[in-house]
Amino acid sequence: MSGPATDVEFMRRALELARRAQESGEVPVGALVVHEGAVIAKAGIARCRSRSHGACEIVALRAAAVQLDNYRLARPTLYVTLEPVPCAWVP
């Protein structure tokens, strides 16, 4: 269940997680996973403390997989305040 209005609201919630992380002296990153209109997982960099900018997305996605009891996250939507850095694939 997403649409322009709900996308904006979920992104605001991710930004709030990032704001809290910044207030605690961490990199301002927040991520949440939404499934069928409900937040099923969330993470902020302050919670992750792994020194990896991608960690919050991974923490949130892993928590979502546990919540759904399925590692294949086909339907949920990830909202994150930092665009992931594309990785170069070298064969």
Side-chain angles (χ1 to χ4, degrees), residues 21-86:
Q22 183 176 30
E23 287 174 353
S24 69
E26 291 291 339
V27 177
V29 180
L32 55 94
V33 181
V34 175
H35 181 64
E36 296 179 352
V39 175
I40 60 169
K42 60 185 176 180
I45 200 79
R47 181 173 162 208
C48 299
R49 295 202 184 270
S50 71
R51 306 283 187 237
S52 169
H53 295 298
C56 286
E57 299 94 296
I58 300 303
V59 168
L61 289 169
R62 285 183 178 157
V66 169
Q67 182 71 20
L68 296 175
D69 194 28
N70 190 342
Y71 70 94
R72 294 181 180 171
L73 299 174
R75 299 256 186 244
T77 301
L78 172 68
Y79 294 86
V80 64
T81 61
L82 181 68
E83 184 176 343
V85 178

